[in-house]
Amino acid sequence: MSWRAEADEIRRRRELARACGGETSVARQHAAGKLTVRERIDKLLDAGSFQEVGQLAGRAVYTEGKLTGFEPAPYVMGLGCISDRPVAVGGEDYTIRAGTGFGSDRRKGGQGGFVEDLAFHYRIPLVNLIDGTGGTVNTVKRKGYSVTPGYGQDGFERSVSLMGMVPVVSAVMGTVAGGPAGRAMLAHWTVMVRDSSQIFAAGPPVVERAFGVKLHKNDLGGAKIAADTAGTIDNVAPDEETCLAQIRRFLSYMPQNAWELPPVLMSGDPVDRCEDALVDIVPRSERQAYNMKKLVGMVVDRGSEFEIQPGFGRAVITMLARMNGKVVGVVANNPMFGGIVDVKAARKQTHFIDLCDAFNIPLIFFVDVPGLLIGVESESEAIMRFGIQQRYVLAQATVPIYTVLVRKCFGVAGGSVIDRSGLNFKIAWPSASWGSLPIEGGVKAAYRADIQGAADPAAREAEIEAELRALSSPFRTAEAFAVEDLIDPRETRPYLCQFIDAAQGRLRTTLGPKLRAGVRP
């Protein structure tokens, strides 16, 4: 009178589910250089930590009451751990009908469902391993009628609510379009695999039908377009294993949810480390570039940098790092690309500030910004709207903000790196200069009549510039306490570490979701 037969049947069906779409389909997936969704989950999570949910869901065929055929649902999901911290994870199984919809309700399919509910109710991070194109037109034939978008599924409501609560990662692991592409955007950080993954609103066949243009899927939505040009995707990995490793790395900087602080990981890097090279890294000529990434690397904990969107908006560097083990967000102007804030850099900076503020991560700005990019093209791309948007987001931020004035800080863009709504804490290097406009360009505009009326206009312009440059010395600003401190560049690390350590108590008193809706995709 036992239930051994039923228990054996459960094991048999689980074995069928673990076979994915069968040997032929799995071999085809491997031949394309791709892992199956189950292999991805195994490599992503701590060994042996995955507890699958819904493994027996699928399409069964019965003959005289006995199971004679079984196609697993093309979506695998459940609970696991990354570095001993629980996460919810789910992804399409491309070996089964190319990962298209299960035809059930949202609970099991790749349209959010149970796995999003799990992340929401348990307040744990969510990882989406996306490898499918959503619905297909043959749904009409199967149902016998057409339905409005989202019918029988959710309309991303749960996805939106998660954006203010728990870290969400979307990895584009194959060709992704439609609903899954939309869901990929509802994440705090996105990553794709170069050459083997693409993302678009609709694929090449639809584009060809609409515009008569035949495109390869990489030319429409590969890494060059999605990450480097559009900024749709944040980071790019050379292969799937590196992609999964990057997900683990990103989550190591994140708290489990908005009610917690990020984990502290001590590296043994001395707080009082003062790199002598910092005093020489900024050239005296303002026209000469230098390596801002190297500069930042000499200040933060050694080896702790994780850059976000490295190929997009390259005039600004955004990265997660640590200072004395505490997670910080770094925004640094990149003089190798002019440091001038264009629309891409403004978008990048805005989203990163949003991300850090949502998850209780203090911000450090390393400033060398001549201003916003000017000109017809920049104005046509709405530079003022996006430039002010980054200042708007900074004004809403609640985390401690530290501004290190390295070299230039001018105009609207310069005002968008200073915590005017908070402590307004700025430390400057002796190489720094600031103001509404750079002296070189501003003198000609402000003193036009004086210069034009002089016997030697060029000499008069140089004379005014020299006078204003003397008055613009950072020492004079420090004397007036118009900048909070002027420091030897070598002191930057210990100076910041002490203030970041002191801010931890304040951070613990302001935990929880922000009043706004969450991080905007």
PDB file of all heavy atoms in Angstrom, residues 483-509:
ATOM      1  N   VAL A 483      34.852  75.742  -1.992  1.00  0.00           N
ATOM      2  CA  VAL A 483      35.051  74.318  -2.204  1.00  0.00           C
ATOM      3  C   VAL A 483      35.471  73.781  -0.836  1.00  0.00           C
ATOM      4  O   VAL A 483      36.223  74.439  -0.108  1.00  0.00           O
ATOM      5  CB  VAL A 483      36.116  74.039  -3.300  1.00  0.00           C
ATOM      6  CG1 VAL A 483      37.483  74.567  -2.895  1.00  0.00           C
ATOM      7  CG2 VAL A 483      36.184  72.560  -3.618  1.00  0.00           C
ATOM      8  N   GLU A 484      34.946  72.609  -0.466  1.00  0.00           N
ATOM      9  CA  GLU A 484      35.095  72.176   0.927  1.00  0.00           C
ATOM     10  C   GLU A 484      36.532  71.813   1.301  1.00  0.00           C
ATOM     11  O   GLU A 484      36.922  71.940   2.458  1.00  0.00           O
ATOM     12  CB  GLU A 484      34.163  70.988   1.204  1.00  0.00           C
ATOM     13  CG  GLU A 484      32.719  71.376   1.432  1.00  0.00           C
ATOM     14  CD  GLU A 484      32.080  72.054   0.233  1.00  0.00           C
ATOM     15  OE1 GLU A 484      32.102  71.472  -0.875  1.00  0.00           O
ATOM     16  OE2 GLU A 484      31.572  73.192   0.396  1.00  0.00           O
ATOM     17  N   ASP A 485      37.316  71.344   0.339  1.00  0.00           N
ATOM     18  CA  ASP A 485      38.726  71.076   0.634  1.00  0.00           C
ATOM     19  C   ASP A 485      39.537  71.035  -0.647  1.00  0.00           C
ATOM     20  O   ASP A 485      39.048  70.619  -1.705  1.00  0.00           O
ATOM     21  CB  ASP A 485      38.887  69.760   1.390  1.00  0.00           C
ATOM     22  CG  ASP A 485      39.844  69.877   2.572  1.00  0.00           C
ATOM     23  OD1 ASP A 485      40.699  70.791   2.549  1.00  0.00           O
ATOM     24  OD2 ASP A 485      39.733  69.080   3.515  1.00  0.00           O
ATOM     25  N   LEU A 486      40.774  71.470  -0.549  1.00  0.00           N
ATOM     26  CA  LEU A 486      41.752  71.351  -1.612  1.00  0.00           C
ATOM     27  C   LEU A 486      42.815  70.393  -1.096  1.00  0.00           C
ATOM     28  O   LEU A 486      43.411  70.623  -0.043  1.00  0.00           O
ATOM     29  CB  LEU A 486      42.357  72.716  -1.917  1.00  0.00           C
ATOM     30  CG  LEU A 486      43.368  72.800  -3.072  1.00  0.00           C
ATOM     31  CD1 LEU A 486      42.727  72.442  -4.392  1.00  0.00           C
ATOM     32  CD2 LEU A 486      43.973  74.212  -3.136  1.00  0.00           C
ATOM     33  N   ILE A 487      43.024  69.285  -1.822  1.00  0.00           N
ATOM     34  CA  ILE A 487      43.882  68.231  -1.285  1.00  0.00           C
ATOM     35  C   ILE A 487      44.990  67.852  -2.260  1.00  0.00           C
ATOM     36  O   ILE A 487      44.885  68.081  -3.467  1.00  0.00           O
ATOM     37  CB  ILE A 487      43.066  66.963  -0.928  1.00  0.00           C
ATOM     38  CG1 ILE A 487      42.520  66.286  -2.198  1.00  0.00           C
ATOM     39  CG2 ILE A 487      41.944  67.283   0.041  1.00  0.00           C
ATOM     40  CD1 ILE A 487      41.954  64.897  -1.959  1.00  0.00           C
ATOM     41  N   ASP A 488      46.036  67.282  -1.702  1.00  0.00           N
ATOM     42  CA  ASP A 488      47.062  66.616  -2.495  1.00  0.00           C
ATOM     43  C   ASP A 488      46.394  65.403  -3.143  1.00  0.00           C
ATOM     44  O   ASP A 488      45.757  64.601  -2.452  1.00  0.00           O
ATOM     45  CB  ASP A 488      48.183  66.165  -1.547  1.00  0.00           C
ATOM     46  CG  ASP A 488      49.347  65.475  -2.259  1.00  0.00           C
ATOM     47  OD1 ASP A 488      49.116  64.808  -3.291  1.00  0.00           O
ATOM     48  OD2 ASP A 488      50.475  65.577  -1.754  1.00  0.00           O
ATOM     49  N   PRO A 489      46.482  65.230  -4.465  1.00  0.00           N
ATOM     50  CA  PRO A 489      45.810  64.095  -5.123  1.00  0.00           C
ATOM     51  C   PRO A 489      46.117  62.744  -4.482  1.00  0.00           C
ATOM     52  O   PRO A 489      45.277  61.838  -4.495  1.00  0.00           O
ATOM     53  CB  PRO A 489      46.330  64.162  -6.555  1.00  0.00           C
ATOM     54  CG  PRO A 489      46.639  65.609  -6.768  1.00  0.00           C
ATOM     55  CD  PRO A 489      47.160  66.099  -5.452  1.00  0.00           C
ATOM     56  N   ARG A 490      47.318  62.602  -3.909  1.00  0.00           N
ATOM     57  CA  ARG A 490      47.694  61.336  -3.294  1.00  0.00           C
ATOM     58  C   ARG A 490      46.870  61.009  -2.057  1.00  0.00           C
ATOM     59  O   ARG A 490      46.823  59.867  -1.609  1.00  0.00           O
ATOM     60  CB  ARG A 490      49.193  61.365  -2.947  1.00  0.00           C
ATOM     61  CG  ARG A 490      50.089  61.394  -4.182  1.00  0.00           C
ATOM     62  CD  ARG A 490      51.520  61.715  -3.840  1.00  0.00           C
ATOM     63  NE  ARG A 490      51.687  63.113  -3.445  1.00  0.00           N
ATOM     64  CZ  ARG A 490      52.863  63.735  -3.350  1.00  0.00           C
ATOM     65  NH1 ARG A 490      53.977  63.080  -3.647  1.00  0.00           N
ATOM     66  NH2 ARG A 490      52.934  65.003  -2.985  1.00  0.00           N
ATOM     67  N   GLU A 491      46.204  62.005  -1.499  1.00  0.00           N
ATOM     68  CA  GLU A 491      45.397  61.809  -0.287  1.00  0.00           C
ATOM     69  C   GLU A 491      43.966  61.376  -0.593  1.00  0.00           C
ATOM     70  O   GLU A 491      43.183  61.149   0.336  1.00  0.00           O
ATOM     71  CB  GLU A 491      45.340  63.115   0.515  1.00  0.00           C
ATOM     72  CG  GLU A 491      46.673  63.658   0.950  1.00  0.00           C
ATOM     73  CD  GLU A 491      46.570  65.060   1.512  1.00  0.00           C
ATOM     74  OE1 GLU A 491      45.545  65.739   1.257  1.00  0.00           O
ATOM     75  OE2 GLU A 491      47.505  65.489   2.203  1.00  0.00           O
ATOM     76  N   THR A 492      43.612  61.252  -1.861  1.00  0.00           N
ATOM     77  CA  THR A 492      42.212  61.051  -2.242  1.00  0.00           C
ATOM     78  C   THR A 492      41.630  59.787  -1.639  1.00  0.00           C
ATOM     79  O   THR A 492      40.512  59.800  -1.105  1.00  0.00           O
ATOM     80  CB  THR A 492      42.076  61.018  -3.779  1.00  0.00           C
ATOM     81  OG1 THR A 492      42.671  62.191  -4.333  1.00  0.00           O
ATOM     82  CG2 THR A 492      40.617  60.956  -4.185  1.00  0.00           C
ATOM     83  N   ARG A 493      42.340  58.666  -1.720  1.00  0.00           N
ATOM     84  CA  ARG A 493      41.801  57.401  -1.200  1.00  0.00           C
ATOM     85  C   ARG A 493      41.524  57.459   0.310  1.00  0.00           C
ATOM     86  O   ARG A 493      40.390  57.189   0.737  1.00  0.00           O
ATOM     87  CB  ARG A 493      42.726  56.236  -1.540  1.00  0.00           C
ATOM     88  CG  ARG A 493      42.291  54.927  -0.900  1.00  0.00           C
ATOM     89  CD  ARG A 493      43.148  53.753  -1.358  1.00  0.00           C
ATOM     90  NE  ARG A 493      42.910  52.578  -0.540  1.00  0.00           N
ATOM     91  CZ  ARG A 493      41.869  51.762  -0.687  1.00  0.00           C
ATOM     92  NH1 ARG A 493      40.962  52.012  -1.615  1.00  0.00           N
ATOM     93  NH2 ARG A 493      41.733  50.712   0.096  1.00  0.00           N
ATOM     94  N   PRO A 494      42.503  57.780   1.155  1.00  0.00           N
ATOM     95  CA  PRO A 494      42.195  57.797   2.587  1.00  0.00           C
ATOM     96  C   PRO A 494      41.134  58.824   2.965  1.00  0.00           C
ATOM     97  O   PRO A 494      40.311  58.578   3.860  1.00  0.00           O
ATOM     98  CB  PRO A 494      43.542  58.109   3.245  1.00  0.00           C
ATOM     99  CG  PRO A 494      44.420  58.628   2.164  1.00  0.00           C
ATOM    100  CD  PRO A 494      43.930  58.013   0.899  1.00  0.00           C
ATOM    101  N   TYR A 495      41.128  59.961   2.277  1.00  0.00           N
ATOM    102  CA  TYR A 495      40.143  61.002   2.566  1.00  0.00           C
ATOM    103  C   TYR A 495      38.731  60.467   2.308  1.00  0.00           C
ATOM    104  O   TYR A 495      37.848  60.550   3.177  1.00  0.00           O
ATOM    105  CB  TYR A 495      40.430  62.216   1.679  1.00  0.00           C
ATOM    106  CG  TYR A 495      39.790  63.505   2.126  1.00  0.00           C
ATOM    107  CD1 TYR A 495      40.571  64.597   2.479  1.00  0.00           C
ATOM    108  CD2 TYR A 495      38.412  63.640   2.185  1.00  0.00           C
ATOM    109  CE1 TYR A 495      39.996  65.792   2.876  1.00  0.00           C
ATOM    110  CE2 TYR A 495      37.821  64.832   2.578  1.00  0.00           C
ATOM    111  CZ  TYR A 495      38.620  65.906   2.930  1.00  0.00           C
ATOM    112  OH  TYR A 495      38.044  67.088   3.328  1.00  0.00           O
ATOM    113  N   LEU A 496      38.521  59.894   1.126  1.00  0.00           N
ATOM    114  CA  LEU A 496      37.192  59.394   0.784  1.00  0.00           C
ATOM    115  C   LEU A 496      36.800  58.202   1.641  1.00  0.00           C
ATOM    116  O   LEU A 496      35.637  58.089   2.066  1.00  0.00           O
ATOM    117  CB  LEU A 496      37.138  59.026  -0.698  1.00  0.00           C
ATOM    118  CG  LEU A 496      37.156  60.180  -1.706  1.00  0.00           C
ATOM    119  CD1 LEU A 496      37.226  59.629  -3.129  1.00  0.00           C
ATOM    120  CD2 LEU A 496      35.942  61.077  -1.547  1.00  0.00           C
ATOM    121  N   CYS A 497      37.729  57.285   1.877  1.00  0.00           N
ATOM    122  CA  CYS A 497      37.398  56.087   2.667  1.00  0.00           C
ATOM    123  C   CYS A 497      36.859  56.463   4.042  1.00  0.00           C
ATOM    124  O   CYS A 497      35.900  55.851   4.527  1.00  0.00           O
ATOM    125  CB  CYS A 497      38.633  55.199   2.821  1.00  0.00           C
ATOM    126  SG  CYS A 497      38.967  54.133   1.404  1.00  0.00           S
ATOM    127  N   GLN A 498      37.442  57.460   4.673  1.00  0.00           N
ATOM    128  CA  GLN A 498      36.980  57.837   6.004  1.00  0.00           C
ATOM    129  C   GLN A 498      35.542  58.345   5.968  1.00  0.00           C
ATOM    130  O   GLN A 498      34.723  57.994   6.832  1.00  0.00           O
ATOM    131  CB  GLN A 498      37.897  58.900   6.611  1.00  0.00           C
ATOM    132  CG  GLN A 498      37.505  59.271   8.040  1.00  0.00           C
ATOM    133  CD  GLN A 498      38.556  60.085   8.758  1.00  0.00           C
ATOM    134  OE1 GLN A 498      39.623  60.354   8.212  1.00  0.00           O
ATOM    135  NE2 GLN A 498      38.263  60.478   9.987  1.00  0.00           N
ATOM    136  N   PHE A 499      35.216  59.143   4.967  1.00  0.00           N
ATOM    137  CA  PHE A 499      33.854  59.668   4.878  1.00  0.00           C
ATOM    138  C   PHE A 499      32.857  58.579   4.474  1.00  0.00           C
ATOM    139  O   PHE A 499      31.726  58.555   4.965  1.00  0.00           O
ATOM    140  CB  PHE A 499      33.807  60.846   3.902  1.00  0.00           C
ATOM    141  CG  PHE A 499      34.228  62.145   4.529  1.00  0.00           C
ATOM    142  CD1 PHE A 499      35.561  62.496   4.605  1.00  0.00           C
ATOM    143  CD2 PHE A 499      33.279  62.995   5.073  1.00  0.00           C
ATOM    144  CE1 PHE A 499      35.957  63.680   5.215  1.00  0.00           C
ATOM    145  CE2 PHE A 499      33.657  64.190   5.678  1.00  0.00           C
ATOM    146  CZ  PHE A 499      35.009  64.536   5.752  1.00  0.00           C
ATOM    147  N   ILE A 500      33.273  57.675   3.588  1.00  0.00           N
ATOM    148  CA  ILE A 500      32.374  56.587   3.183  1.00  0.00           C
ATOM    149  C   ILE A 500      32.113  55.650   4.357  1.00  0.00           C
ATOM    150  O   ILE A 500      30.976  55.203   4.570  1.00  0.00           O
ATOM    151  CB  ILE A 500      32.963  55.843   1.964  1.00  0.00           C
ATOM    152  CG1 ILE A 500      32.901  56.752   0.735  1.00  0.00           C
ATOM    153  CG2 ILE A 500      32.214  54.540   1.702  1.00  0.00           C
ATOM    154  CD1 ILE A 500      33.752  56.286  -0.419  1.00  0.00           C
ATOM    155  N   ASP A 501      33.134  55.342   5.138  1.00  0.00           N
ATOM    156  CA  ASP A 501      32.944  54.527   6.338  1.00  0.00           C
ATOM    157  C   ASP A 501      31.971  55.211   7.299  1.00  0.00           C
ATOM    158  O   ASP A 501      31.079  54.572   7.867  1.00  0.00           O
ATOM    159  CB  ASP A 501      34.280  54.292   7.048  1.00  0.00           C
ATOM    160  CG  ASP A 501      35.168  53.290   6.324  1.00  0.00           C
ATOM    161  OD1 ASP A 501      34.664  52.607   5.409  1.00  0.00           O
ATOM    162  OD2 ASP A 501      36.357  53.198   6.675  1.00  0.00           O
ATOM    163  N   ALA A 502      32.137  56.515   7.481  1.00  0.00           N
ATOM    164  CA  ALA A 502      31.283  57.257   8.425  1.00  0.00           C
ATOM    165  C   ALA A 502      29.841  57.323   7.954  1.00  0.00           C
ATOM    166  O   ALA A 502      28.920  57.453   8.782  1.00  0.00           O
ATOM    167  CB  ALA A 502      31.832  58.668   8.602  1.00  0.00           C
ATOM    168  N   ALA A 503      29.606  57.223   6.647  1.00  0.00           N
ATOM    169  CA  ALA A 503      28.251  57.338   6.097  1.00  0.00           C
ATOM    170  C   ALA A 503      27.437  56.059   6.230  1.00  0.00           C
ATOM    171  O   ALA A 503      26.226  56.073   5.967  1.00  0.00           O
ATOM    172  CB  ALA A 503      28.315  57.740   4.631  1.00  0.00           C
ATOM    173  N   GLN A 504      28.056  54.947   6.630  1.00  0.00           N
ATOM    174  CA  GLN A 504      27.328  53.684   6.678  1.00  0.00           C
ATOM    175  C   GLN A 504      26.156  53.727   7.654  1.00  0.00           C
ATOM    176  O   GLN A 504      25.087  53.164   7.403  1.00  0.00           O
ATOM    177  CB  GLN A 504      28.276  52.536   7.035  1.00  0.00           C
ATOM    178  CG  GLN A 504      29.399  52.314   6.030  1.00  0.00           C
ATOM    179  CD  GLN A 504      28.901  52.058   4.617  1.00  0.00           C
ATOM    180  OE1 GLN A 504      28.152  51.115   4.376  1.00  0.00           O
ATOM    181  NE2 GLN A 504      29.337  52.896   3.679  1.00  0.00           N
ATOM    182  N   GLY A 505      26.341  54.390   8.783  1.00  0.00           N
ATOM    183  CA  GLY A 505      25.242  54.507   9.745  1.00  0.00           C
ATOM    184  C   GLY A 505      24.072  55.270   9.170  1.00  0.00           C
ATOM    185  O   GLY A 505      22.913  54.891   9.368  1.00  0.00           O
ATOM    186  N   ARG A 506      24.369  56.333   8.455  1.00  0.00           N
ATOM    187  CA  ARG A 506      23.292  57.104   7.816  1.00  0.00           C
ATOM    188  C   ARG A 506      22.572  56.253   6.780  1.00  0.00           C
ATOM    189  O   ARG A 506      21.330  56.276   6.684  1.00  0.00           O
ATOM    190  CB  ARG A 506      23.880  58.359   7.171  1.00  0.00           C
ATOM    191  CG  ARG A 506      22.844  59.169   6.331  1.00  0.00           C
ATOM    192  CD  ARG A 506      22.927  58.783   4.869  1.00  0.00           C
ATOM    193  NE  ARG A 506      21.896  59.325   4.039  1.00  0.00           N
ATOM    194  CZ  ARG A 506      21.996  60.481   3.372  1.00  0.00           C
ATOM    195  NH1 ARG A 506      23.045  61.243   3.513  1.00  0.00           N
ATOM    196  NH2 ARG A 506      21.037  60.855   2.558  1.00  0.00           N
ATOM    197  N   LEU A 507      23.326  55.480   5.998  1.00  0.00           N
ATOM    198  CA  LEU A 507      22.713  54.630   4.977  1.00  0.00           C
ATOM    199  C   LEU A 507      21.740  53.631   5.588  1.00  0.00           C
ATOM    200  O   LEU A 507      20.677  53.346   5.026  1.00  0.00           O
ATOM    201  CB  LEU A 507      23.788  53.896   4.182  1.00  0.00           C
ATOM    202  CG  LEU A 507      24.520  54.715   3.115  1.00  0.00           C
ATOM    203  CD1 LEU A 507      25.788  54.009   2.666  1.00  0.00           C
ATOM    204  CD2 LEU A 507      23.604  54.976   1.929  1.00  0.00           C
ATOM    205  N   ARG A 508      22.093  53.101   6.755  1.00  0.00           N
ATOM    206  CA  ARG A 508      21.215  52.114   7.405  1.00  0.00           C
ATOM    207  C   ARG A 508      19.900  52.716   7.864  1.00  0.00           C
ATOM    208  O   ARG A 508      18.935  51.988   8.107  1.00  0.00           O
ATOM    209  CB  ARG A 508      21.950  51.466   8.584  1.00  0.00           C
ATOM    210  CG  ARG A 508      22.988  50.428   8.169  1.00  0.00           C
ATOM    211  CD  ARG A 508      23.502  49.642   9.363  1.00  0.00           C
ATOM    212  NE  ARG A 508      24.393  50.438  10.185  1.00  0.00           N
ATOM    213  CZ  ARG A 508      25.716  50.526   9.997  1.00  0.00           C
ATOM    214  NH1 ARG A 508      26.287  49.860   9.018  1.00  0.00           N
ATOM    215  NH2 ARG A 508      26.459  51.273  10.786  1.00  0.00           N
ATOM    216  N   THR A 509      19.843  54.036   7.988  1.00  0.00           N
ATOM    217  CA  THR A 509      18.599  54.677   8.429  1.00  0.00           C
ATOM    218  C   THR A 509      17.706  55.098   7.276  1.00  0.00           C
ATOM    219  O   THR A 509      16.603  55.607   7.500  1.00  0.00           O
ATOM    220  CB  THR A 509      18.906  55.924   9.285  1.00  0.00           C
ATOM    221  OG1 THR A 509      19.503  56.941   8.460  1.00  0.00           O
ATOM    222  CG2 THR A 509      19.821  55.584  10.443  1.00  0.00           C
TER     223      THR A 509
END
